[in-house]
Amino acid sequence: TPYGKISAMFNISYETIQIFLKYITNISTIQEFLLLICHAKEFQEIPVRHLEEEVISNMKPRFIIEEPSYFI
């Protein structure tokens, strides 16, 4: 399938492709698009570097966004 080719070409898991296909039609803002990308399995596997933990903890409250009800 075309989605399988995209998945293989860009090393994207089938779960991520399924999430994108399920929710992409509901996206109407940049915020919602970024939230969709944040649900990608590939981002969950990226470790946080030790020295960046405090920086991220300080930034986190500034970027809390409520997820639309149609997201996971």
Side-chain angles (χ1 to χ4, degrees):
T1 68
Y3 305 118
K5 288 179 183 178
I6 292 169
S7 178
M9 186 181 299
F10 296 104
N11 199 23
I12 300 172
S13 72
Y14 73 92
E15 291 105 339
T16 297
I17 296 290
Q18 287 177 337
I19 288 171
F20 284 9
L21 291 174
K22 183 176 181 180
Y23 295 107
I24 197 70
T25 57
N26 296 325
I27 301 298
S28 61
T29 67
I30 298 286
Q31 265 185 341
E32 290 173 343
F33 182 71
L34 292 173
L35 280 170
L36 179 63
I37 291 173
C38 289
H39 282 93
K41 179 181 174 184
E42 291 75 9
F43 286 116
Q44 295 171 1
E45 297 170 359
I46 298 174
V48 176
R49 289 182 256 182
H50 176 65
L51 297 175
E52 293 178 346
E53 291 173 352
E54 185 177 343
V55 173
I56 292 172
S57 293
N58 291 335
M59 289 174 56
K60 203 173 180 181
R62 294 176 30 204
F63 296 101
I64 294 176
I65 300 170
E66 280 193 43
E67 292 191 36
S69 59
Y70 53 80
F71 273 137
I72 302 168

